[in-house]
Amino acid sequence: MSYRNGLNRTATKLDKPLSSSSNCNSSNGGKYLAPSPPPSSPAPAISKPGSPLHPTSASSRRTPQRTWKHDSGVSGRVRVAVRLRPRNAEEMVADADFADCVELQPELKRLTLRKNNWVSETYEFDEVLTDFSSQKRVYEVVAKPVLESVLEGYNGTVMAYGQTGTGKTFTLGRLGEEDIADRGIMVRAMEDILAGICPEQDSVTVSYLQLYMETVQDLLDPSKDNIPIVEDPKTGDVSLPGATVVEIRDQAGFVDLLQTGESNRFAANTKLNTESSRSHAILMVNIKKHVKVPVEDLDIPNENGLSMHKSKGSYPPTVRKSKLIIVDLAGSERVDKSGSEGLALEEAKSINLSLTALGKCINALADGKSHVPIRDSKLTRLLRDSFGGTARTSLVITIGPSPRHRGETMSTIMFGQRAMKIENMMKRREEFDYKSMCHKLGMELERCFAESERQNKLLLDVERKLEERLEETRRAEKNLECALEKMASERARHQKEHVEVLQNLEIERTERLRMENELQAAKSDMKNHKEVPEPSKDVNDEILELKLQLENERQSRQQAERELRILKSGVPSQYGNSESTEIMILSRRLENEIQRRTKLEDEIKRLQNQLSQATLELEVAKSSASGFTSFGLNSLKTPMIVNHNFESDLGHNLDTGRPQDHVGLQKLLSLLESQDVGIQVQAVKVVANLAAEEAHQEKIVEAGGLHHMLLLLRDSEDETIRRVAAGAIANLAMNERNQELIMSEGGIALLSRTADNAEDPQTLRMVAGAIANLCGNDKLQLKLRDDGGIKALLKMVNSRHSDVLAQVARGIANFAKCESRGVVQGSRMGRSLLIDEGALPWIVGNANNEASSIRRHIELALCHLAQQDVNARDLVAAGALRELVRISRECSREDIRMLARRLLAGSSIFQSELRRLHIVP
Ligand code: ADP
Ligand code: MG
């Protein structure tokens, strides 16, 4: 057929020669992978003398050239096998006396047709299948090579040609339901197809048709009884658009479909009152198979027809489309031969039209004629690709053995021989799988969109976070700026303060120098007077001397007075002038003496003042210069001595003012308000030390020092300051007036709070000492109790520190003494406030404390309590009697021992209790 080169390729069509292909079915993969030579390698027909047909160009067929060029196909001759049916029952009988008209030499692929007893012709075929060839072998030699090509993307045709009853349907259409060995080519072909595809992505569809009297009927849908044949003018593809197309999923489905087709064929033929042998049965199988073709094998044309070169190593999705046609032709016998059918001539012509046309086409092709009458029949139109086209075609011609049908057999053989001459140019149809590529790209695009969206979101998040960070940074910068500004102004302020402090220090230093100079001057003054070489010792000497002088003067004056008195008594008033004159002289002398004495007394007073001033200045100077160790402590009557361990802290950066100099004291007190705790500590220590001396106490209180100390107790957060302030208050509390002042300013509350917050027992000692001093004031007894003074004292015993306990004991003793004094004076009655406040157990418990500083105070307190009859029962109940007895026996102080004895003896309650206890005091 001349359309071999007329195939128009479209941009999407890929015609290419055999090449390696992939197959998802691994079991078959290897089988189809090799670029095998076309399975139907041509077998040359024997060119025999007298043979009516000579194969064309045997040499070129013998070595078929595989064309690997892109556009050219693979040369493949139509393969023809002959199959001999065994004698049937009728032939067994009818031809019993005759030999078969054919003789087969399958190993030589030869068939000899006996024309008569003398003449025979031998023909060579591609395969010669004997009457005992199995269906399997027939499939393998006839159909298998076609199937292999079909699965590689080539079109394929398997066709049976022969006289009715020679086994065409047996060869092609047996279903093998009873015996699977009987399965014909259709069933076996589908088995191979299904095994050779990948069901998930490939597809197999089937149409089953009957061509009868140039009408195409659908064997799968009898209602479709005139299906048109459509040819694509571009590709030359033939299709039957109206035909039912069934997708084949499995073998059983296909067998069902064949059965349906067969029964429909039977029904149709019954209806038309004809036989199946008059019609052609056509099974069309379309296969779409996805393969991966290495890119070097592919040039993908773009829409302009230009090649787009893909990068090497990639596998663009490719789909191979192939079509397998299996045709069970109508019987080849001439219809007109058997007039028994009673068909009209036209009808008979029509029945045979397709077959005749096929014969003509095959003749034309075999003879290499330029015109092939392909359009003469529907069959030739349907099979245009099978003979002289691009398909691999295999023809099985069936013959019977009976010599009675020699003519038909001959005709069949000749048909086969001519068909063997037809050369097809096999071309594969590979299409770039735009659909799946599109799908894939679509998915990729979706993924990209999603990814891009994600990235955008991430970007936005990051931007937002950055913005937040930036804002934070801005805020932090602003805060930093503010802080820096604040710091700068703070620094300026501090610098200013620093300068001021330095200036003040400088002033203080100058002042100190001035004072030192003054002191020095005073000392030298005193030395110059030669009355006292050293302020303390020399002035004392001077005073002694002056006292002596004064004493002398006094004695001489007394002497003079005595003389004067004697004179006055002995001499009457009328004494003469001489006596009066003497008296007057004596009186004058006396007056002089008196004046001199007054002068001396004044001088003594002045010197005493000077001495005191000098002593103080000396001490201050000493402490300023080297850190004083004790500030007149030895001379103090107070039990409260400001702790020696801080005194050495005083000094280098603090100059005390002159204490009796009001201005200096004020300055000192103003330092108590300093922001610098160190300065505060040192200032309060100086004040405390000054307060230790009675001489300074009044001035300190006058200058508001006491008030300051109380304020420190209240406000200072530094325990050292509070401790020293409490010490100062204790010192000031030696004075009765100050005691009242302390109480009126809420001192008890402040002291007891200080005690509550104290961590250092020395603080407690100071507080206890202060309260103990206050306890010695008769007028403050009730207020002291009301303000919680006794409670505070008793609370402090918890510290167990002997110094603290001694102060507590002293306070209690002071308090008890005042009480007993009040009772004696009749100013108070009732039970001791100490007992009311619950002090008795502690008193009794510590009456025999091993520390004498504690013991002697308590012993005294007990005695004072015992002195008041009203306390007697409580004392007895608390077990104080035994202690009193012990005191009366053992106390180291005799006066107390005696007092205790007296008390025991004097109280009837004590006496009866002693008797009860059988104690003899
Ligand atoms: P056709 O389709 O060519 O008219 P059939 O296939 O119907 O012929 O065969 C006719 C008869 O011959 C059937 O009964 C079939 O079973 C039998 N037959 C055909 N070929 C063979 C064979 N090779 N071996 C045994 N029986 C055969
Ligand atoms: Mg048949």
Side-chain angles (χ1 to χ4, degrees):
M1 294 187 194
S2 61
Y3 55 79
R4 184 190 298 172
N5 298 318
L7 190 68
N8 292 326
R9 286 187 317 282
T10 64
T12 59
K13 190 179 285 174
L14 299 165
D15 290 354
K16 68 182 296 301
L18 279 167
S19 67
S20 62
S21 64
S22 70
N23 191 301
C24 73
N25 188 322
S26 58
S27 64
N28 290 307
K31 200 169 177 181
Y32 297 114
L33 266 174
S36 55
S40 54
S41 51
I46 287 177
S47 179
K48 285 198 166 200
S51 170
L53 287 167
H54 290 275
T56 55
S57 177
S59 63
S60 69
R61 289 196 305 273
R62 200 171 281 125
T63 52
Q65 291 298 304
R66 178 169 294 177
T67 308
W68 294 99
K69 275 195 291 178
H70 174 68
D71 280 328
S72 56
V74 178
S75 160
R77 183 175 55 74
V78 172
R79 284 173 57 90
V80 181
V82 60
R83 185 183 195 184
L84 177 65
R85 172 178 55 72
R87 283 189 179 200
N88 57 27
E90 187 225 321
E91 284 164 343
M92 293 281 202
V93 177
D95 299 335
D97 299 334
F98 304 96
D100 287 351
C101 69
V102 289
E103 242 175 56
L104 304 179
Q105 292 172 281
E107 64 285 356
L108 294 174
K109 302 184 177 179
R110 284 180 186 170
L111 174 148
T112 304
L113 176 70
R114 248 194 299 274
K115 292 189 171 173
N116 50 51
N117 290 336
W118 307 276
V119 183
S120 62
E121 284 278 358
T122 297
Y123 302 93
E124 200 163 273
F125 286 93
D126 292 310
E127 286 294 338
V128 171
L129 300 159
T130 62
D131 49 353
F132 48 83
S133 291
S134 70
Q135 291 280 71
K136 182 171 188 278
R137 172 149 172 77
V138 173
Y139 173 75
E140 272 168 4
V141 300
V142 175
K144 187 102 179 177
V146 177
L147 262 297
E148 284 172 356
S149 291
V150 165
L151 286 167
E152 282 183 0
Y154 299 91
N155 285 345
T157 311
V158 177
M159 196 162 72
Y161 180 93
Q163 194 185 353
T164 298
T166 51
K168 297 184 295 296
T169 305
F170 184 88
T171 301
L172 297 176
R174 283 296 283 265
L175 300 177
E177 283 170 310
E178 286 117 46
D179 182 357
I180 58 163
D182 286 346
R183 285 170 300 153
I185 283 172
M186 285 179 180
V187 176
R188 289 175 193 267
M190 187 52 75
E191 279 171 358
D192 273 355
I193 288 167
L194 291 176
I197 58 146
C198 187
E200 287 83 40
Q201 58 184 47
D202 301 336
S203 81
V204 181
T205 58
V206 160
S207 297
Y208 199 15
L209 309 150
Q210 171 173 268
L211 177 62
Y212 178 65
M213 286 185 55
E214 293 305 287
T215 306
V216 179
Q217 298 160 0
D218 192 341
L219 288 180
L220 302 178
D221 183 358
S223 65
K224 296 175 183 171
D225 54 5
N226 192 7
I227 294 167
I229 298 172
V230 177
E231 288 157 63
D232 186 325
K234 273 188 184 172
T235 62
D237 278 350
V238 180
S239 59
L240 300 157
T244 302
V245 176
V246 177
E247 174 125 28
I248 302 301
R249 299 255 168 235
D250 52 29
Q251 189 64 23
F254 177 65
V255 172
D256 283 352
L257 186 136
L258 284 184
Q259 268 174 338
T260 308
E262 215 44 60
S263 61
N264 283 339
R265 190 180 183 194
F266 179 79
N269 292 337
T270 310
K271 192 175 156 196
L272 293 167
N273 194 24
T274 181
E275 290 175 18
S276 62
S277 61
R278 301 270 174 241
S279 65
H280 313 282
I282 303 160
L283 181 76
M284 293 179 103
V285 184
N286 279 290
I287 299 160
K288 267 189 209 164
K289 192 164 180 251
H290 291 80
V291 289
K292 283 181 178 166
V293 181
V295 81
E296 55 266 33
D297 290 347
L298 267 180
D299 262 353
I300 300 166
N302 65 15
E303 53 189 11
N304 301 320
L306 298 168
S307 286
M308 299 188 299
H309 287 278
K310 296 281 172 186
S311 61
K312 274 200 164 193
S314 65
Y315 291 82
T318 305
V319 67
R320 286 176 177 169
K321 290 181 177 174
S322 54
K323 180 156 71 178
L324 171 68
I325 303 179
I326 301 177
V327 189
D328 185 358
L329 288 170
S332 59
E333 67 280 357
R334 291 162 61 125
V335 176
D336 55 336
K337 199 180 166 189
S338 58
S340 60
E341 275 94 6
L343 291 169
L345 185 62
E346 281 309 308
E347 217 172 349
K349 270 186 191 169
S350 181
I351 287 170
N352 262 344
L353 180 69
S354 280
L355 211 54
T356 311
L358 180 66
K360 281 179 187 168
C361 285
I362 283 177
N363 284 343
L365 283 165
D367 295 344
K369 284 187 178 163
S370 57
H371 176 67
V372 181
I374 181 178
R375 305 201 60 82
D376 282 5
S377 78
K378 286 194 172 166
L379 182 67
T380 48
R381 282 169 68 198
L382 277 172
L383 296 176
R384 62 178 296 174
D385 199 33
S386 307
F387 294 97
T390 63
R392 179 182 296 287
T393 299
S394 214
L395 176 67
V396 59
I397 55 170
T398 53
I399 53 172
S402 173
R404 286 178 289 133
H405 299 299
R406 186 183 283 120
E408 290 302 336
T409 304
M410 178 69 189
S411 142
T412 301
I413 288 168
M414 294 322 289
F415 183 89
Q417 285 289 298
R418 279 193 293 275
M420 274 177 80
K421 291 180 183 173
I422 298 170
E423 197 78 46
N424 283 359
M425 187 56 68
M426 291 159 55
K427 282 178 184 170
R428 175 150 63 190
R429 297 236 336 249
E430 255 172 6
E431 281 178 13
F432 182 68
D433 189 3
Y434 280 103
K435 210 170 145 190
S436 90
M437 186 60 149
C438 203
H439 180 68
K440 243 184 191 166
L441 287 175
M443 272 167 46
E444 181 66 12
L445 205 66
E446 283 297 308
R447 202 187 58 74
C448 285
F449 276 141
E451 183 59 31
S452 143
E453 211 178 344
R454 240 194 326 272
Q455 294 292 344
N456 274 345
K457 171 105 184 26
L458 270 175
L459 207 68
L460 281 174
D461 282 359
V462 168
E463 268 178 13
R464 189 174 49 73
K465 275 185 187 151
L466 270 176
E467 199 57 50
E468 281 172 14
R469 285 275 163 82
L470 216 63
E471 189 53 40
E472 268 172 31
T473 314
R474 274 191 217 118
R475 268 204 301 274
E477 266 177 13
K478 217 169 170 184
N479 288 347
L480 201 69
E481 266 171 29
C482 287
L484 279 173
E485 264 171 32
K486 224 171 168 180
M487 268 168 70
S489 68
E490 280 283 294
R491 203 174 142 207
R493 195 173 62 76
H494 281 137
Q495 276 173 346
K496 209 173 143 205
E497 276 177 13
H498 189 70
V499 169
E500 278 171 9
V501 166
L502 282 177
Q503 281 171 351
N504 284 344
L505 276 175
E506 188 53 35
I507 292 165
E508 296 281 341
R509 201 178 62 81
T510 323
E511 179 73 359
R512 189 184 127 193
L513 279 175
R514 192 186 58 75
M515 275 162 53
E516 274 175 3
N517 289 340
E518 270 178 18
L519 183 67
Q520 213 54 47
K523 276 185 197 169
S524 54
D525 260 9
M526 280 158 71
K527 274 182 188 157
N528 288 344
H529 277 98
K530 291 192 178 172
E531 283 155 350
V532 276
E534 277 293 318
S536 53
K537 189 168 169 284
D538 296 353
V539 173
N540 277 335
D541 290 348
E542 193 186 354
I543 291 167
L544 275 175
E545 226 175 276
L546 286 168
K547 276 182 178 169
L548 273 174
Q549 275 183 30
L550 190 65
E551 189 58 38
N552 288 342
E553 289 296 333
R554 201 174 55 85
Q555 280 174 5
S556 56
R557 200 191 78 185
Q558 278 173 352
Q559 181 63 35
E561 279 174 8
R562 250 192 324 271
E563 283 173 13
L564 186 65
R565 263 197 309 275
I566 294 164
L567 281 171
K568 272 183 180 173
S569 62
V571 183
S573 55
Q574 59 271 35
Y575 276 4
N577 276 346
S578 60
E579 283 96 346
S580 299
T581 311
E582 201 178 343
I583 288 168
M584 275 184 57
I585 289 164
L586 282 172
S587 295
R588 226 174 286 134
R589 248 174 75 189
L590 184 65
E591 248 175 53
N592 285 344
E593 285 298 334
I594 288 169
Q595 271 173 7
R596 221 175 118 193
R597 188 184 134 194
T598 316
K599 229 170 156 181
L600 278 170
E601 278 176 344
D602 284 345
E603 182 63 22
I604 287 168
K605 231 180 208 164
R606 192 187 61 78
L607 280 170
Q608 266 178 339
N609 277 343
Q610 217 173 0
L611 172 69
S612 138
Q613 182 181 333
T615 308
L616 187 63
E617 277 174 0
L618 185 67
E619 288 296 336
V620 170
K622 270 186 194 167
S623 65
S624 301
S626 58
F628 55 82
T629 51
S630 89
F631 190 85
L633 299 179
N634 296 336
S635 64
L636 289 183
K637 287 177 225 153
T638 173
M640 267 332 355
I641 299 166
V642 176
N643 205 332
H644 56 272
N645 62 6
F646 63 75
E647 286 157 2
S648 58
D649 297 342
L650 193 72
H652 301 296
N653 54 358
L654 174 75
D655 282 352
T656 58
R658 199 187 293 236
Q660 66 275 54
D661 177 343
H662 205 69
V663 180
L665 194 57
Q666 281 299 346
K667 199 175 282 175
L668 183 64
L669 294 178
S670 73
L671 288 172
L672 293 173
E673 284 156 19
S674 165
Q675 294 299 313
D676 185 333
V677 175
I679 291 174
Q680 264 192 322
V681 168
Q682 291 183 4
V684 73
K685 282 177 182 177
V686 172
V687 174
N689 278 314
L690 291 174
E693 198 159 352
E694 220 173 333
H696 305 143
Q697 287 175 352
E698 199 184 328
K699 280 184 179 129
I700 290 171
V701 174
E702 248 175 46
L706 176 57
H707 182 69
H708 264 96
M709 294 300 111
L710 290 166
L711 284 183
L712 285 177
L713 280 197
R714 192 189 68 187
D715 300 331
S716 179
E717 287 176 2
D718 186 281
E719 189 176 342
T720 305
I721 291 172
R722 292 199 304 271
R723 187 182 70 224
V724 180
I729 290 165
N731 286 340
L732 295 174
M734 291 186 301
N735 176 304
E736 201 171 302
R737 228 187 73 211
N738 292 348
Q739 287 168 353
E740 283 167 16
L741 214 58
I742 291 166
M743 293 293 285
S744 70
E745 289 205 27
I748 291 295
L750 293 172
L751 284 165
S752 82
R753 202 176 70 181
T754 303
D756 286 345
N757 297 327
E759 281 169 10
D760 184 345
Q762 290 307 320
T763 308
L764 295 178
R765 185 173 76 96
M766 300 297 164
V767 172
I771 297 177
N773 283 350
L774 296 171
C775 285
N777 188 321
D778 305 71
K779 291 178 225 158
L780 296 174
Q781 295 246 287
L782 272 174
K783 182 161 172 57
L784 194 79
R785 194 272 312 261
D786 293 345
D787 285 1
I790 299 168
K791 283 258 156 58
L793 265 186
L794 291 172
K795 208 168 171 187
M796 282 185 273
V797 304
N798 293 331
S799 97
R800 301 189 182 284
H801 195 282
S802 62
D803 287 352
V804 181
L805 299 186
Q807 293 303 327
V808 173
R810 187 170 68 84
I812 285 172
N814 277 351
F815 199 91
K817 186 178 78 188
C818 288
E819 276 188 337
S820 64
R821 200 155 52 201
V823 171
V824 170
Q825 288 168 358
S827 59
R828 93 169 287 278
M829 301 165 70
R831 198 168 71 153
S832 164
L833 295 179
L834 287 170
I835 295 173
D836 284 351
E837 294 292 291
L840 207 47
W842 186 77
I843 294 171
V844 173
N846 286 275
N848 194 19
N849 195 301
E850 55 190 18
S852 67
S853 59
I854 300 168
R855 192 174 60 237
R856 71 190 156 85
H857 287 306
I858 294 181
E859 284 171 347
L860 197 62
L862 258 182
C863 289
H864 284 307
L865 289 173
Q867 234 170 3
Q868 307 158 53
D869 279 342
V870 73
N871 295 333
R873 286 192 193 288
D874 288 299
L875 287 170
V876 167
L881 206 55
R882 283 182 193 282
E883 289 305 323
L884 277 171
V885 171
R886 187 190 56 74
I887 292 165
S888 73
R889 287 172 184 164
E890 296 172 8
C891 184
S892 57
R893 276 175 65 180
E894 200 196 344
D895 55 339
I896 294 177
R897 233 177 20 240
M898 299 313 292
L899 176 64
R901 247 176 244 169
R902 211 173 49 243
L903 290 170
L904 286 171
S907 162
S908 56
I909 296 171
F910 290 160
Q911 281 298 315
S912 67
E913 182 66 8
L914 286 172
R915 272 196 301 278
R916 196 179 68 78
L917 296 173
H918 307 292
I919 296 173
V920 182

